[in-house]
Amino acid sequence: MPQILREVPGHIVPGESLASYHDRLDPQRTVEFAMVWRSADEAGLEARLLSGRPLTREELVQDYGWDAFVKEAAVRWLTTEGVHVTHDSAFITWLEGSMAAIETTLQVRFVESGGKFMIAQEPRVPQWLSPAIIGFVGLENVSQLYPGFRSPSRVDALANNGQGFFPMDIQTAYQFPPSDGTGLTIGLLEFSNGYNVEDVGGFWSQFGIPAPSLTFVSVDGTPNDGGVNPWDLEATLDIEWSGAMAPGASLVVYEASAGNQDAAFALSVLKALEYARNDTVNHPNILSISYGDGETRFPIATMHAWDSVVRNSAAIGMTVFVASGDEGAYGLRGPGRPICHVDAPANCPHVVAVGGTHLVVNAAGQIAQETGWTDTNNNGASGGGISQIFPVPSYQEGIRLPVKPGYKRGRGVPDVALNADPDTGYAVLFQGAWTIVGGTSVASPIWAALFARIAQEGLVANRTVLGYVNPRLYVLGPTPAFRPITQGNNSYAGVVGYECTPGWNAVTGWGSPVGEQLAQGLLC
């Protein structure tokens, strides 16, 4: 008896015109992809997250994974026409197959253009399987993520006589607690983005910082290229600044491909997130991601899949920080529709999205002025706005969300902020030379380091700090744990953005941290 098939929505790449694509040429072209499972008890898992009591990895699978007979039936169906299962975990089934086999299995049609591919219609699965899955990731290699760093365009506001901020400047300005992150591990997700150990070691040595433990992990065989390419500045700054701000913490670089002919960048993000979640060797407690693009550039199912892995990570006590982007309310890397866009994966409701500010300190190192990172010279602005993909999460239900006419209510971005304007940027040692860098991609790993320091104090006090921290951050938002940012906006590229206002705003979230006050609030 033939199975009844049901369409699974959310897999079409938004904004891509089929007119510029042709039917796939090689039916045997191999594609890696993944089927991502929902939790078997979505409401129950969300309630457990809100309780603040982390699960073990085993409890997560036992209490919220699907029964073996459901998984086995899915695998039998998937492999009927020649698709192969390369690995099957509790919440993701990793797959590989020729385009012809995938087309037959999922009832789709691949189209191509210049090495890029995507599907032209939504996949179909058996009716009994549809409620159990979020969907598929990797059925396109069109969408891309980009690192979010920028160089200054003027030097008049740079600290240290034009050299940029040093680690002690940021530690002092944001009143970091005296701990150093000992006992915690920060995972940095990088994509075809390597580093030179002499650069990062030289950076720490310059400022008298003991070199943290640094481990490189290739998620998919992608090597560390040694920091020889211009884009390697991203991994370099992530390592240097997270290590400088939490030198007692261990650092782990999770390296994955930025995408190639047969693998999607979106799939690489999924692989890196899931690898880190399951890493029982290095045991990361905190992750930082400094990559993204506007949410309209990704299939909806992809973003929900990313968030599901982040949610599962939060359930076992991990916290994930993501840069909110550097294109203001416009949100897109490169040309696109002149409307408001929120960055992904910063739009995921289970991550802490980190926006940007413009920071000026006085001679004593204290904050003299801090405003929202505003576009004054066509050199970026703090990413932020209202997601049109994810609904309003429970922790934002009580705040005023600045929804513009023609847009719907949704998850507000960012949650928090920190200095990111390249014109008040940071010193970085890259390829043997000192340079200055800004962007929310610096702010995110610094927030990760701050949380490592706070979590260390939590270990001493036997209190849980990490995991799904968003609800607690929103309770602390109106308190002295944050410095509210009430000046500035994130209009950019001709798109009228949002204003910095008292309380939460779509430029800087609750504002920048007052580190010791934040630690007290999270530990009480």
Side-chain angles (χ1 to χ4, degrees), residues 353 384-386 395-396 399-403 410-416 474 477-478 484-485 498-511:
I386 306 299
Y395 55 82
Q396 290 186 328
I399 64 174
R400 185 188 70 84
L401 294 168
V403 182
R411 190 268 205 262
V413 175
D415 301 302
V416 298
Y474 276 72
I485 309 298
Y498 303 86
E499 296 292 326
C500 291
T501 58
W504 183 92
N505 62 68
V507 183
T508 61
W510 286 109

Side-chain angles (χ1 to χ4, degrees), residues 59-128:
E59 288 172 334
L60 177 66
V61 173
Q62 179 180 332
D63 296 349
Y64 300 101
W66 287 89
D67 292 336
F69 75 89
V70 177
K71 299 291 295 294
E72 290 167 2
V75 168
R76 283 196 301 271
W77 170 76
L78 283 164
T79 56
T80 301
E81 302 294 339
V83 171
H84 303 286
V85 175
T86 57
H87 179 65
D88 193 23
S89 61
F91 298 100
I92 303 178
T93 301
W94 303 94
L95 303 157
E96 184 179 83
S98 67
M99 284 188 169
I102 297 169
E103 287 177 331
T104 303
T105 302
L106 300 181
Q107 303 285 288
V108 297
R109 178 172 63 92
F110 278 102
V111 292
E112 298 179 279
S113 177
K116 297 294 184 180
F117 65 84
M118 64 181 188
I119 54 174
Q121 63 266 113
E122 301 287 9
R124 298 170 67 83
V125 303
Q127 188 173 15
W128 56 266

Side-chain angles (χ1 to χ4, degrees), residues 156-332:
D156 53 292
L158 289 170
N160 298 305
N161 298 314
Q163 298 177 84
F165 281 119
F166 300 157
M168 186 56 68
D169 300 325
I170 298 302
Q171 180 176 323
T172 301
Y174 290 119
Q175 300 177 38
F176 273 41
S179 48
D180 65 2
T182 295
L184 281 300
T185 298
I186 300 172
L188 304 169
L189 272 60
E190 308 292 346
F191 301 95
S192 297
N193 206 298
Y195 60 92
N196 186 314
V197 292
E198 293 184 2
D199 283 341
V200 298
F203 179 87
W204 296 324
S205 176
Q206 174 67 28
F207 300 110
I209 297 168
S213 168
L214 176 60
T215 301
F216 176 85
V217 174
S218 179
V219 170
D220 57 8
T222 302
N224 175 13
D225 65 11
V228 298
N229 294 299
W231 52 82
D232 291 332
L233 181 55
E234 182 58 67
T236 302
L237 68 89
D238 287 348
I239 296 166
E240 290 180 356
W241 274 90
S242 60
M245 304 311 294
S250 297
L251 305 180
V252 181
V253 175
Y254 293 99
E255 188 75 42
S257 170
N260 55 46
Q261 182 178 355
D262 299 321
F265 202 150
L267 189 68
S268 290
V269 176
L270 190 73
K271 285 181 180 179
L273 283 168
E274 181 72 352
Y275 191 105
R277 186 184 73 80
N278 286 317
D279 187 357
T280 56
V281 174
N282 297 292
H283 297 281
N285 312 99
I286 305 162
L287 302 180
S288 178
I289 303 174
S290 295
Y291 297 73
D293 200 356
E295 64 181 9
T296 58
R297 293 269 172 87
F298 302 98
I300 293 172
T302 289
M303 293 178 281
H304 281 281
W306 291 341
D307 188 60
S308 73
V309 181
V310 172
R311 179 199 59 190
N312 292 344
S313 300
I316 62 172
M318 295 170 64
T319 300
V320 181
F321 293 91
V322 180
S324 73
D326 300 350
E327 283 71 29
Y330 172 60
L332 298 179

